[in-house]
Amino acid sequence: LEDYSRAFSAAEAGIEAALKGDTAPGSFGNASYTVTTPVSAASNTTLSLGDINISDTYTVWLAGHKADGSLDLVGPYTNPPYSGTSIDVCWQKADSVGSVDPAMEVSVFYKDGTSYKVWRGAYDPTSSRTASNNFNYSNVSSASCVGATQNKVTINLSSLGTTRIALRLRPFYAKASVSVVPSANLPGQGLSITSVGTAGQTTRKVVVTQSYSSLPSIFDYVLFSGKDACKGTGC
């Protein structure tokens, strides 16, 4: 029992060290740990994002990342990007006793030639709100979603440049339980950190997924131009 506790503590210590960027083996007393941090595997299964609070954002990466965490935007790819021409976004209210259905803003960041661009769409399953918020009415449920009561919208990616970088999801009006259903393999969404702790004859393993860093949601509404910005007639 004592070795069990020490091995588990060592494994947790390895996770903490890896989250700080130190993946070297470590030891203390008669306990030790080893850490591996491969990129999480690509998958074409439903990706559950859990609950997202009102006006918070969640980033789903359509481009892969290199081992150092930087984006892998130029082939030959270490981690191939998402090749699907569409992706389904599914959501429903996270609070089962709540009376307000969440709406969803979807942003797609992509590269078109040498320019970085963003496409946005907003979808609301409550028709009475669309007259004032100008969201698209969307009250479609599908077997592709996790639950039969989920709202679904299919995002067409075929016309959005040649290099799609990320999907950003932001619920409005209420906290939302969100998932995405890809039509092809999504690249790994982070590092899969595995730490194995050893004490005596006992080993314990802890696995944690560390998501890739993304900009805070406030940056979704900041205008940046690499050249002169122009507004109005004549642009």
Side-chain angles (χ1 to χ4, degrees), residues 99-101 124-139 173:
S99 59
V100 178
D101 282 319
D124 196 334
T126 304
S127 59
S128 59
R129 295 191 303 222
T130 58
S132 58
N133 64 18
N134 293 318
F135 284 23
N136 296 299
Y137 177 61
S138 177
N139 190 20
Y173 301 109

Side-chain angles (χ1 to χ4, degrees), residues 38-47 60-65 77-83 182-192 209 212:
V39 174
S40 58
S43 175
N44 63 356
T45 59
T46 297
L47 177 63
V60 177
W61 294 102
L62 304 178
H65 287 71
Y77 300 103
T78 303
N79 294 286
Y82 181 64
S83 61
S183 58
N185 276 345
L186 276 173
Q189 299 296 303
L191 297 178
S192 180
T209 298
Y212 292 115

Side-chain angles (χ1 to χ4, degrees), residues 58-175:
Y58 194 103
T59 301
V60 177
W61 294 102
L62 304 178
H65 287 71
K66 300 177 183 178
D68 62 1
S70 62
L71 283 167
D72 192 5
L73 299 181
V74 180
Y77 300 103
T78 303
N79 294 286
Y82 181 64
S83 61
T85 57
S86 66
I87 191 168
D88 289 348
V89 178
C90 306
W91 75 95
Q92 64 185 11
K93 56 187 176 184
D95 186 355
S96 60
V97 299
S99 59
V100 178
D101 282 319
M104 184 64 62
E105 179 190 68
V106 181
S107 302
V108 181
F109 294 87
Y110 64 100
K111 191 175 182 181
D112 188 12
T114 58
S115 300
Y116 291 88
K117 298 182 179 181
V118 59
W119 171 94
R120 282 194 177 94
Y123 306 91
D124 196 334
T126 304
S127 59
S128 59
R129 295 191 303 222
T130 58
S132 58
N133 64 18
N134 293 318
F135 284 23
N136 296 299
Y137 177 61
S138 177
N139 190 20
V140 178
S141 59
S142 168
S144 68
C145 294
V146 176
T149 60
Q150 285 193 322
N151 305 297
K152 187 205 79 168
V153 62
T154 298
I155 305 301
N156 184 0
L157 303 172
S158 59
S159 62
L160 301 182
T162 57
T163 306
R164 292 117 198 186
I165 299 172
L167 193 72
R168 294 266 277 188
L169 306 175
R170 177 195 297 259
F172 286 89
Y173 301 109
K175 181 167 66 173

